[in-house]
Amino acid sequence: MTITATVTTAEEREAILGAVREYAETELAPYAIERDEKHEFPREALRRGGELGLGGIYVREESGGTGLGRVDTVAIFEELAKGDPTIAAYISIHNMVAWMIDTYGDDAQRSEWIEKLAAMTEFGSYCLTEPGAGSDAAAIATSARRDGDEYVLTGVKQFISGAGESGVYVVIARTGDADSGARGISAFLVPADADGLSFGALEKKMGWHAQPTRQVIFDGLRVPASAMLGDEGRGFAIAMSALNGGRLNIAACSLGGAQWALDRAVQYVQERVAFGEPLAEKQSILFTIADMRTELQAARLMVRDGAQAVDDEAPDATMRCAMAKRFATDAGFNVANQALQLHGGYGYLQDYGIEKVVRDLRVHQILEGTNEIMRLIVGREMLRPAGSASMRSAANEHPRSA
């Protein structure tokens, strides 16, 4: 089955999720531990996901994507992460790139890249963070200097997923002077074969072993002016607009990974006998399982609420996405960590897969904006003159997702 955008009934939605679930169970889950151990990037499995429609999940159909809304998208990423949170998170980043090109690119850029990205015959990477500019994205120093009909890019990007594997890089660079702030930032499409593009060594990470993370280095790299994505000076706005979807996706990945860990913990405590009875008979274990399930369900509802806000183009969508990302990634890590604790020493062994999920989900609290930045976004919105009123009205206007 190929995923399509015509989701009008619960049966159609379940059919889509069933196809994604089958992909996760056959292409991701059986190899997750081995890929983690070998640091193996599953190119062919990803391309088979592209055949299913996973390379452009919320890219418009007329551009060659699947065209789903964000509510259906987060459900898809939750299912993918049950198979392997590492690969699900990479598919999220890839989809952000495809969406940015579809949304802000011109006809030539869409024609060149969307079909290949949607099919995952080419991969995409998003280059925003720098060694000296993480949470303060407006402080980026990578420069893009105009030289006739070209721009010359010089600088370094840090923590770039897919670096060295991708066919195209969305690069956020400074076209204004050093004091221009967010207004002096633009976005560019850099192909993998561009002269002056190179990569640092593979980062040795706590988790996410099956996707490559490297520095991306621009040494006097030249791109034609036509490589600019959107208008000059709009790069920061473009970069930030992509993050609502990215935050929802990574939150959904936390849900999927944590749900997988919880399911394993439930099975384990029913089978494991201690002091003459199954662990499941002990009240403290029951309370722990109940709290884990409750936290995940609360997080799931918040993620759906954020997704609905994006679908509805709600004025407070950024705040609701930030709340969902913060809550779901914290809850996901905590639930996975509790699942490890319930397994005792076995949870610490690689063969059980629990410790892998704990390692993978930990970074979700950092990327797409740290959870401290999510709190800043929410707090500042609430303290704006109309903040509290808009929050209350949003809850009243969207009771189905409140």
Side-chain angles (χ1 to χ4, degrees):
M1 175 183 178
T2 300
I3 301 171
T4 66
T6 54
V7 184
T8 57
T9 67
E11 290 76 14
E12 289 170 339
R13 189 169 190 266
E14 184 52 41
I16 287 174
L17 293 181
V20 174
R21 191 176 300 120
E22 181 180 1
Y23 171 80
E25 290 174 350
T26 57
E27 296 283 356
L28 302 184
Y31 312 104
I33 295 175
E34 180 181 3
R35 286 168 178 159
D36 177 80
E37 183 178 356
K38 295 181 178 179
H39 294 237
E40 178 183 296
F41 185 61
R43 303 169 190 84
E44 295 306 315
L46 286 168
R47 291 186 175 114
R48 285 190 285 273
E51 295 172 4
L52 187 63
L54 296 176
I57 298 172
Y58 45 96
V59 169
R60 293 172 297 173
E61 281 190 290
E62 55 265 35
S63 298
T66 303
L68 293 178
R70 300 308 177 101
V71 171
D72 292 312
T73 295
V74 295
I76 286 171
F77 277 108
E78 183 171 351
E79 290 298 330
L80 288 173
K82 291 176 185 176
D84 188 345
T86 298
I87 304 307
Y90 176 73
I91 295 173
S92 166
I93 295 165
H94 174 92
N95 270 267
M96 284 175 61
V97 170
W99 177 85
M100 292 170 78
I101 297 173
D102 180 37
T103 302
Y104 298 104
D106 57 31
D107 289 342
Q109 291 167 339
R110 284 192 289 268
S111 176
E112 181 176 6
W113 292 113
I114 292 297
E115 183 178 343
K116 292 181 283 190
L117 291 172
M120 296 187 95
T121 56
E122 293 281 9
F123 303 122
S125 289
Y126 177 45
C127 301
L128 174 62
T129 299
E130 297 183 1
S135 296
D136 185 9
I140 65 171
T142 295
S143 64
R145 176 179 54 84
R146 185 72 184 248
D147 183 20
D149 293 332
E150 296 179 316
Y151 282 88
V152 182
L153 275 63
T154 302
V156 178
K157 295 295 182 177
Q158 184 77 29
F159 305 133
I160 306 305
S161 291
E165 294 285 348
S166 291
V168 63
Y169 298 83
V170 173
V171 181
I172 309 302
R174 184 166 298 284
T175 47
D177 58 36
D179 298 324
S180 58
R183 296 184 304 277
I185 292 173
S186 302
F188 296 87
L189 300 181
V190 175
D193 60 359
D195 290 338
L197 178 66
S198 62
F199 308 98
L202 283 168
E203 302 287 2
K204 298 177 181 179
K205 309 187 298 288
M206 174 180 174
W208 278 22
H209 289 169
Q211 56 162 288
T213 304
R214 293 182 171 97
Q215 286 187 337
V216 178
I217 303 164
F218 311 97
D219 184 10
L221 183 150
R222 289 179 175 269
V223 291
S226 60
M228 182 176 286
L229 186 64
D231 297 328
E232 184 167 340
R234 292 286 297 162
F236 186 78
I238 290 171
M240 294 302 102
S241 71
L243 289 179
N244 277 346
R247 287 164 181 164
L248 291 173
N249 295 348
I250 213 67
C253 290
S254 288
L255 293 176
Q259 185 65 58
W260 180 89
L262 173 57
D263 292 343
R264 297 305 178 278
V266 168
Q267 179 180 348
Y268 181 81
V269 299
Q270 290 175 319
E271 297 171 350
R272 176 71 169 175
V273 174
F275 302 103
E277 63 180 5
L279 288 177
E281 297 295 324
K282 299 184 182 299
Q283 191 177 70
S284 63
I285 300 295
L286 290 176
F287 286 174
T288 299
I289 292 291
D291 287 345
M292 293 163 72
R293 179 67 174 85
T294 302
E295 286 184 32
L296 277 189
Q297 184 62 13
R300 187 172 289 115
L301 293 173
M302 289 194 73
V303 172
R304 289 175 183 170
D305 174 76
Q308 190 67 62
V310 174
D311 282 341
D312 292 344
E313 298 182 356
D316 62 343
T318 295
M319 179 173 65
R320 288 158 70 181
C321 290
M323 290 192 295
K325 192 270 181 181
R326 200 286 297 168
F327 191 87
T329 57
D330 282 349
F333 176 76
N334 291 338
V335 167
N337 198 38
Q338 283 281 6
L340 190 154
Q341 188 73 17
L342 288 173
H343 276 77
Y346 292 104
Y348 206 63
L349 301 181
Q350 292 181 355
D351 290 347
Y352 281 71
I354 301 293
E355 60 85 31
K356 174 192 179 300
V357 171
V358 172
R359 289 186 286 106
D360 287 344
L361 297 194
R362 181 59 182 88
V363 75
H364 294 189
Q365 297 169 294
I366 298 171
L367 59 89
E368 310 296 17
T370 67
N371 284 2
E372 290 77 12
I373 293 296
M374 298 305 99
R375 293 163 72 188
L376 279 177
I377 291 170
V378 176
R380 286 171 176 170
E381 179 65 23
M382 292 303 299
L383 292 177
R384 289 199 311 155
S388 297
S390 68
M391 181 66 177
R392 287 193 296 271
S393 66
N396 292 332
E397 290 169 8
H398 304 284
R400 65 186 179 279
S401 59

